[in-house]
Amino acid sequence: MDIRRAGERYQGGDPAAGIESRHAFSFGSHYDPDNLRFGAVLACNEERLAPGAGFDEHPHSHTEIVTWVVEGELTHRDSTGRESVVRHGDVQRLSSAGGVRHVERNDGPEPLTFIQMWLAPLRPGGDPSYEVVRGIADSTPYAVPEAGAMLHVRRLGPGERTAVPDGAHAYLHVVRGEVRLDGETLGAGDAARITDAKGLEAEGTTGAELLIWEMGPA
């Protein structure tokens, strides 16, 4: 188990434009050849956008992009003509496949924070697709078959436990609160990269929200 702390993330974005980014993996100008991916996960970015701030139209390809809003409202528009507003509790997935362009903005009155995770597809190419699952229930798995991965959203009360899925790779990100995992305390923004997990449990020491990726061999 490899613990990565929130304070170790690469800092990016454009604070003058109301954009603050924290990258868990090698990203953009922050190139680290020893931190390129874990299992299917290529990126886990914490993005903070001030009201009116956002990312202008930009391209993606050959990437499965899954977004979880922590607070605020994320407005998404893409080159396939889709537009949606994503809020806390919603899972947004953009399968960029052979190529797509999109815009991400905070058009709401309050600050926006979201977690965006990029996964490598099993096969490149294809047609882009998009979906939003509204208000996903606790413990409901969300499958991303294109990447051979499953996302588990868990909300824990103090003393409540959840199993870390057994498997080749598991990536656990703490969205909010604090948990204990195999003797370690993880707080908001911390993550654990777990190889060959067997019988592991995370326990909420406070109210907590977790995102756990279950993945097969890389």
Side-chain angles (χ1 to χ4, degrees):
M1 185 170 70
D2 181 8
I3 303 293
R4 303 294 179 105
R5 301 295 180 183
E8 299 171 347
R9 289 172 171 259
Y10 310 112
Q11 297 188 19
D14 184 355
I19 302 171
E20 295 184 16
S21 303
R22 300 289 184 271
H23 306 296
F25 292 85
S26 182
F27 198 91
S29 61
H30 298 288
Y31 179 69
D32 181 352
D34 297 322
N35 190 23
L36 296 178
R37 67 185 288 176
F38 178 76
V41 178
L42 303 171
C44 179
N45 303 334
E46 290 186 350
E47 306 286 1
R48 298 176 184 270
L49 302 182
F55 300 101
D56 293 333
E57 188 174 83
H58 57 280
H60 288 284
S61 62
H62 313 306
T63 313
E64 299 296 315
I65 302 171
V66 178
T67 304
W68 180 261
V69 172
V70 180
E71 60 182 0
E73 298 181 348
L74 171 64
T75 297
H76 164 98
R77 305 181 187 92
D78 65 42
S79 53
T80 68
R82 298 180 181 92
E83 179 172 343
S84 58
V85 176
V86 186
R87 301 175 178 85
H88 180 248
D90 301 339
V91 174
Q92 174 186 260
R93 181 180 63 86
L94 174 64
S95 179
S96 62
V100 70
R101 302 180 66 85
H102 75 153
V103 174
E104 297 164 296
R105 295 197 56 80
N106 179 7
D107 290 335
E110 303 296 332
L112 165 66
T113 302
F114 63 94
I115 311 297
Q116 189 166 91
M117 298 154 287
W118 297 10
L119 284 78
L122 297 174
R123 289 169 292 279
D127 296 323
S129 61
Y130 176 81
E131 73 172 347
V132 178
V133 177
R134 301 289 184 187
I136 192 166
D138 183 44
S139 299
T140 300
Y142 177 78
V144 184
E146 294 84 355
M150 187 87 72
L151 177 64
H152 301 266
V153 179
R154 286 308 326 267
R155 304 173 183 99
L156 302 177
E160 284 190 304
R161 295 172 175 266
T162 187
V164 174
D166 293 345
H169 296 94
Y171 185 83
L172 182 151
H173 174 87
V174 181
V175 176
R176 65 181 90 238
E178 189 174 272
V179 300
R180 294 282 293 173
L181 179 66
D182 199 27
E184 296 279 351
T185 299
L186 281 71
D190 292 347
R193 305 177 187 188
I194 304 162
T195 304
D196 297 327
K198 285 185 173 56
L200 271 181
E201 287 188 322
E203 178 182 0
T205 56
T206 68
E209 186 172 81
L210 311 176
L211 302 175
I212 306 173
W213 282 106
E214 175 186 358
M215 299 169 283

